[in-house]
Amino acid sequence: MNEKFDSIVDNKWWQEIAVVAFSFTIYTLKNDWMLFSSMASILMGIFFYLILYLHAQFNRFFLLPILFKTRRPVTYILLTLFGVVVFSIVLYEITTLDMFNNCRLYQNSHQRSYVYQLASVLGTLVCILSPIIVFKFYRIHKRRTDEALLFNQMQLNSLKGQLNPHFLFNTFNTLYGISLEFPDRTPDLIMKVSQLMRYQLESNSKQCVSLEDELEFINSYVQLEKERVGYRCDVTYDCKIDNENAYKISPMLLIAFIENAFKHGTCAIEKCFVRIFITVEKGDLHLHVVNSIPTKKTDVVSTKIGLKNTIERLNLIYGKNYKLDIQEEKNTYIVDLKLQLKKFV
């Protein structure tokens, strides 16, 4: 129903009909058409409205471009006043013709005056041009909004295209590291990786996925990393959601922060830790990730794409309506992300 209504509102011809209906209603109320008893009076009233409508359209197509395209407001005002005067004279001369003696239109003395015709021309011009200009700017604004949304979507798709190979690269690095130390567990881990890849491929074409599916994906990734780091890293993963099925989120939006914590927080033989806390309350998501910074790091292969692309995605999706705080202290690296989730309709 909403889409059908939007299509009607956006249709240029329906907008024109609405303008005519609005201005014609004002015109009929002004002239007390309820008092008309003959068809001749009604037809004469329509004839007068058409003249007024013709004047407004003349201003619209020939004079308004002077204001909007050439930016000459003084010229537009002078030409508009000249047009109002000319059409007022035309209407005044028409009311003096003998054909008006037998109809009830413009029978009062003030209605037959030049000042009344001047007011009619000017008032009708405002009544017709005002909604036309409003609709014009509405169409311009909507077109620009649609173009911006399309551009943002293209950027998001491009960022996803860069992020997914990045995730694939890191995951296979993890799988490689596990296979060297625990080759007998490799088949099961390959199955887990295939499940991660399947989710990645299926979610790639979607703008949003359920929060439940995204958290299940994150949990699978954390379990995979636990297999890799083993006893030397204390991994904490805590997730508290008030209603998982009620929310949706852009796919793979949080994983880069978690990947980063495991990649840089566990790149040493010494004891280390990674702590991940996710809470959602009344649609407010809070991701808190803390990882240790080893004193003796081993070289880590990093393309530095994941984190950068995720921040760009956050900017495109949420604009300024999110809060990301990243702090690097002496021994810890902290990521704190807060954003408002959308609900499933």
Side-chain angles (χ1 to χ4, degrees):
M1 183 67 183
N2 290 334
E3 292 181 0
K4 186 176 181 180
F5 177 76
D6 290 340
S7 64
I8 293 175
V9 172
D10 295 338
N11 188 284
K12 188 175 181 179
W13 290 108
W14 281 113
Q15 292 175 359
E16 292 290 337
I17 292 173
V19 170
V20 172
F22 170 73
S23 58
F24 188 72
T25 301
I26 298 297
Y27 175 75
T28 55
L29 292 174
K30 177 179 72 71
N31 289 287
D32 296 329
W33 276 38
M34 295 297 294
L35 301 176
F36 292 175
S37 58
S38 66
M39 183 58 68
S41 297
I42 295 176
L43 292 176
M44 197 60 65
I46 294 175
F47 171 73
F48 262 85
Y49 172 78
L50 290 176
I51 294 177
L52 294 170
Y53 183 76
L54 178 65
H55 167 248
Q57 294 301 317
F58 173 81
N59 189 292
R60 172 187 180 182
F61 289 106
F62 294 99
L63 301 185
L64 270 181
I66 297 175
L67 177 63
F68 292 122
K69 293 183 179 180
T70 62
R71 309 288 182 180
R72 292 186 290 173
V74 176
T75 304
Y76 169 75
I77 292 173
L78 293 176
L79 290 175
T80 297
L81 293 176
F82 177 75
V84 168
V85 171
V86 170
F87 273 84
S88 300
I89 294 173
V90 171
L91 286 179
Y92 175 74
E93 292 298 329
I94 292 176
T95 57
T96 61
L97 299 177
D98 294 337
M99 67 178 69
F100 281 94
N101 294 330
N102 298 324
C103 70
R104 302 189 62 174
L105 185 67
Y106 295 147
Q107 289 298 306
N108 296 329
S109 58
H110 75 279
Q111 289 181 325
R112 295 213 171 199
S113 66
Y114 173 75
V115 175
Y116 183 85
Q117 300 307 325
L118 181 66
S120 296
V121 172
L122 192 57
T124 309
L125 178 66
V126 173
C127 288
I128 294 176
L129 282 189
S130 296
I132 285 175
I133 293 174
V134 169
F135 281 130
K136 179 181 177 66
F137 280 103
Y138 166 78
R139 290 194 296 269
I140 292 174
H141 174 73
K142 188 175 185 304
R143 184 174 68 252
R144 290 177 178 174
T145 301
D146 291 343
E147 290 175 352
L149 288 174
L150 180 61
F151 179 71
N152 285 352
Q153 190 59 49
M154 290 172 62
Q155 285 185 299
L156 282 174
N157 291 337
S158 175
L159 291 172
K160 282 183 181 179
Q162 295 176 30
L163 185 61
N164 290 344
H166 174 269
F167 174 76
L168 185 65
F169 174 79
N170 289 336
T171 304
F172 277 108
N173 263 353
T174 298
L175 183 60
Y176 174 73
I178 296 173
S179 66
L180 291 178
E181 295 186 38
F182 311 102
D184 57 319
R185 294 159 64 181
T186 303
D188 292 336
L189 295 176
I190 290 176
M191 183 61 67
K192 287 185 178 180
V193 170
S194 69
Q195 293 173 350
L196 293 175
M197 294 301 102
R198 183 180 295 111
Y199 175 80
Q200 182 196 40
L201 291 173
E202 290 176 353
S203 65
N204 188 45
S205 60
K206 300 177 182 178
Q207 291 187 5
C208 292
V209 295
S210 70
L211 180 62
E212 183 181 19
D213 290 342
E214 186 72 6
L215 293 179
E216 185 178 345
F217 168 75
I218 291 174
N219 181 63
S220 298
Y221 178 79
V222 171
Q223 297 307 316
L224 182 66
E225 287 289 354
K226 278 185 178 181
E227 296 280 352
R228 179 177 67 86
V229 297
Y231 66 90
R232 65 184 175 85
C233 184
D234 179 22
V235 179
T236 303
Y237 177 64
D238 185 62
C239 186
K240 295 180 180 178
I241 313 298
D242 56 3
N243 191 350
E244 292 182 359
N245 295 316
Y247 308 111
K248 57 184 178 180
I249 189 172
S250 181
M252 302 187 69
L253 189 64
L254 308 177
I255 191 66
F257 301 111
I258 298 171
E259 277 185 286
N260 198 60
F262 279 106
K263 184 194 301 183
H264 298 285
T266 62
C267 58
I269 300 176
E270 63 191 76
K271 291 286 288 184
C272 54
F273 66 85
V274 174
R275 295 169 187 152
I276 304 164
F277 302 94
I278 300 176
T279 59
V280 177
E281 186 176 354
K282 296 181 180 179
D284 293 322
L285 182 143
H286 182 197
L287 171 68
H288 186 71
V289 182
V290 184
N291 63 268
S292 56
I293 301 177
T295 55
K296 297 180 180 180
K297 297 182 184 179
T298 57
D299 292 334
V300 178
V301 178
S302 177
T303 59
K304 299 182 179 180
I305 292 177
L307 199 59
K308 177 184 176 183
N309 282 3
T310 299
I311 294 174
E312 288 185 20
R313 286 181 68 197
L314 284 168
N315 290 331
L316 286 170
I317 296 171
Y318 295 100
K320 296 181 179 180
N321 298 321
Y322 79 95
K323 184 179 179 181
L324 176 62
D325 185 23
I326 299 177
Q327 298 180 15
E328 184 172 353
E329 299 178 356
K330 183 179 180 180
N331 298 316
T332 56
Y333 188 85
I334 304 170
V335 173
D336 206 63
L337 173 65
K338 295 179 181 179
L339 54 85
Q340 178 69 39
L341 295 172
K342 295 181 180 179
K343 288 188 175 182
F344 275 112
V345 180

